[in-house]
PDB file of all heavy atoms in Angstrom:
ATOM      1  N   GLU A  46     100.058  95.263  87.307  1.00  0.00           N
ATOM      2  CA  GLU A  46     101.470  95.140  87.664  1.00  0.00           C
ATOM      3  C   GLU A  46     101.720  95.938  88.933  1.00  0.00           C
ATOM      4  O   GLU A  46     101.476  97.155  88.970  1.00  0.00           O
ATOM      5  CB  GLU A  46     102.383  95.639  86.546  1.00  0.00           C
ATOM      6  CG  GLU A  46     103.864  95.524  86.886  1.00  0.00           C
ATOM      7  CD  GLU A  46     104.778  96.017  85.774  1.00  0.00           C
ATOM      8  OE1 GLU A  46     104.385  96.931  85.028  1.00  0.00           O
ATOM      9  OE2 GLU A  46     105.908  95.494  85.660  1.00  0.00           O
ATOM     10  N   TRP A  47     102.205  95.278  89.965  1.00  0.00           N
ATOM     11  CA  TRP A  47     102.558  95.961  91.200  1.00  0.00           C
ATOM     12  C   TRP A  47     103.828  96.763  90.998  1.00  0.00           C
ATOM     13  O   TRP A  47     104.811  96.265  90.447  1.00  0.00           O
ATOM     14  CB  TRP A  47     102.743  94.949  92.320  1.00  0.00           C
ATOM     15  CG  TRP A  47     103.260  95.538  93.582  1.00  0.00           C
ATOM     16  CD1 TRP A  47     102.599  96.385  94.429  1.00  0.00           C
ATOM     17  CD2 TRP A  47     104.559  95.364  94.140  1.00  0.00           C
ATOM     18  NE1 TRP A  47     103.422  96.736  95.474  1.00  0.00           N
ATOM     19  CE2 TRP A  47     104.624  96.117  95.331  1.00  0.00           C
ATOM     20  CE3 TRP A  47     105.688  94.625  93.758  1.00  0.00           C
ATOM     21  CZ2 TRP A  47     105.753  96.167  96.125  1.00  0.00           C
ATOM     22  CZ3 TRP A  47     106.815  94.663  94.561  1.00  0.00           C
ATOM     23  CH2 TRP A  47     106.841  95.437  95.728  1.00  0.00           C
ATOM     24  N   ILE A  48     103.803  98.026  91.463  1.00  0.00           N
ATOM     25  CA  ILE A  48     104.956  98.911  91.300  1.00  0.00           C
ATOM     26  C   ILE A  48     105.761  99.002  92.591  1.00  0.00           C
ATOM     27  O   ILE A  48     106.993  98.851  92.593  1.00  0.00           O
ATOM     28  CB  ILE A  48     104.516 100.326  90.867  1.00  0.00           C
ATOM     29  CG1 ILE A  48     103.780 100.284  89.538  1.00  0.00           C
ATOM     30  CG2 ILE A  48     105.728 101.254  90.810  1.00  0.00           C
ATOM     31  CD1 ILE A  48     103.143 101.623  89.155  1.00  0.00           C
ATOM     32  N   GLY A  49     105.088  99.299  93.687  1.00  0.00           N
ATOM     33  CA  GLY A  49     105.830  99.485  94.924  1.00  0.00           C
ATOM     34  C   GLY A  49     104.926  99.585  96.131  1.00  0.00           C
ATOM     35  O   GLY A  49     103.710  99.750  96.025  1.00  0.00           O
ATOM     36  N   LEU A  50     105.559  99.501  97.283  1.00  0.00           N
ATOM     37  CA  LEU A  50     104.849  99.487  98.567  1.00  0.00           C
ATOM     38  C   LEU A  50     105.589 100.348  99.559  1.00  0.00           C
ATOM     39  O   LEU A  50     106.822 100.267  99.662  1.00  0.00           O
ATOM     40  CB  LEU A  50     104.780  98.048  99.087  1.00  0.00           C
ATOM     41  CG  LEU A  50     104.244  97.829 100.498  1.00  0.00           C
ATOM     42  CD1 LEU A  50     102.748  98.090 100.546  1.00  0.00           C
ATOM     43  CD2 LEU A  50     104.558  96.409 100.969  1.00  0.00           C
ATOM     44  N   MET A  51     104.830 101.173 100.275  1.00  0.00           N
ATOM     45  CA  MET A  51     105.391 101.892 101.413  1.00  0.00           C
ATOM     46  C   MET A  51     104.788 101.236 102.634  1.00  0.00           C
ATOM     47  O   MET A  51     103.619 101.450 102.954  1.00  0.00           O
ATOM     48  CB  MET A  51     105.057 103.371 101.343  1.00  0.00           C
ATOM     49  CG  MET A  51     105.646 104.174 102.490  1.00  0.00           C
ATOM     50  SD  MET A  51     105.471 105.938 102.225  1.00  0.00           S
ATOM     51  CE  MET A  51     106.655 106.199 100.920  1.00  0.00           C
ATOM     52  N   TYR A  52     105.549 100.364 103.315  1.00  0.00           N
ATOM     53  CA  TYR A  52     104.948  99.533 104.354  1.00  0.00           C
ATOM     54  C   TYR A  52     105.113 100.084 105.749  1.00  0.00           C
ATOM     55  O   TYR A  52     104.425  99.702 106.649  1.00  0.00           O
ATOM     56  CB  TYR A  52     105.460  98.089 104.271  1.00  0.00           C
ATOM     57  CG  TYR A  52     106.961  97.922 104.327  1.00  0.00           C
ATOM     58  CD1 TYR A  52     107.607  97.627 105.515  1.00  0.00           C
ATOM     59  CD2 TYR A  52     107.735  98.046 103.169  1.00  0.00           C
ATOM     60  CE1 TYR A  52     108.981  97.449 105.562  1.00  0.00           C
ATOM     61  CE2 TYR A  52     109.106  97.878 103.209  1.00  0.00           C
ATOM     62  CZ  TYR A  52     109.724  97.575 104.399  1.00  0.00           C
ATOM     63  OH  TYR A  52     111.084  97.405 104.440  1.00  0.00           O
ATOM     64  N   ILE A  53     106.029 100.942 105.943  1.00  0.00           N
ATOM     65  CA  ILE A  53     106.123 101.760 107.147  1.00  0.00           C
ATOM     66  C   ILE A  53     106.490 103.125 106.600  1.00  0.00           C
ATOM     67  O   ILE A  53     107.237 103.215 105.629  1.00  0.00           O
ATOM     68  CB  ILE A  53     107.222 101.272 108.114  1.00  0.00           C
ATOM     69  CG1 ILE A  53     106.989  99.818 108.522  1.00  0.00           C
ATOM     70  CG2 ILE A  53     107.285 102.167 109.353  1.00  0.00           C
ATOM     71  CD1 ILE A  53     108.142  99.223 109.300  1.00  0.00           C
ATOM     72  N   ILE A  54     105.945 104.178 107.196  1.00  0.00           N
ATOM     73  CA  ILE A  54     106.238 105.485 106.633  1.00  0.00           C
ATOM     74  C   ILE A  54     107.748 105.664 106.517  1.00  0.00           C
ATOM     75  O   ILE A  54     108.482 105.579 107.494  1.00  0.00           O
ATOM     76  CB  ILE A  54     105.625 106.603 107.497  1.00  0.00           C
ATOM     77  CG1 ILE A  54     104.095 106.460 107.471  1.00  0.00           C
ATOM     78  CG2 ILE A  54     106.040 107.973 106.977  1.00  0.00           C
ATOM     79  CD1 ILE A  54     103.478 106.575 106.097  1.00  0.00           C
ATOM     80  N   GLY A  55     108.183 105.847 105.272  1.00  0.00           N
ATOM     81  CA  GLY A  55     109.602 106.008 105.017  1.00  0.00           C
ATOM     82  C   GLY A  55     110.300 104.759 104.558  1.00  0.00           C
ATOM     83  O   GLY A  55     111.418 104.818 104.051  1.00  0.00           O
ATOM     84  N   SER A  56     109.653 103.584 104.706  1.00  0.00           N
ATOM     85  CA  SER A  56     110.247 102.324 104.253  1.00  0.00           C
ATOM     86  C   SER A  56     109.530 101.855 103.005  1.00  0.00           C
ATOM     87  O   SER A  56     108.298 101.853 102.958  1.00  0.00           O
ATOM     88  CB  SER A  56     110.132 101.252 105.342  1.00  0.00           C
ATOM     89  OG  SER A  56     110.855 101.626 106.483  1.00  0.00           O
ATOM     90  N   THR A  57     110.288 101.444 102.019  1.00  0.00           N
ATOM     91  CA  THR A  57     109.699 101.093 100.735  1.00  0.00           C
ATOM     92  C   THR A  57     110.218  99.761 100.205  1.00  0.00           C
ATOM     93  O   THR A  57     111.304  99.303 100.578  1.00  0.00           O
ATOM     94  CB  THR A  57     109.993 102.176  99.676  1.00  0.00           C
ATOM     95  OG1 THR A  57     111.411 102.405  99.640  1.00  0.00           O
ATOM     96  CG2 THR A  57     109.272 103.475  99.993  1.00  0.00           C
TER      97      THR A  57
END
Side-chain angles (χ1 to χ4, degrees):
Chain A
E46 180 180 31
W47 173 69
I48 300 172
L50 172 71
M51 181 170 288
Y52 56 96
I53 302 171
I54 296 300
S56 297
T57 53

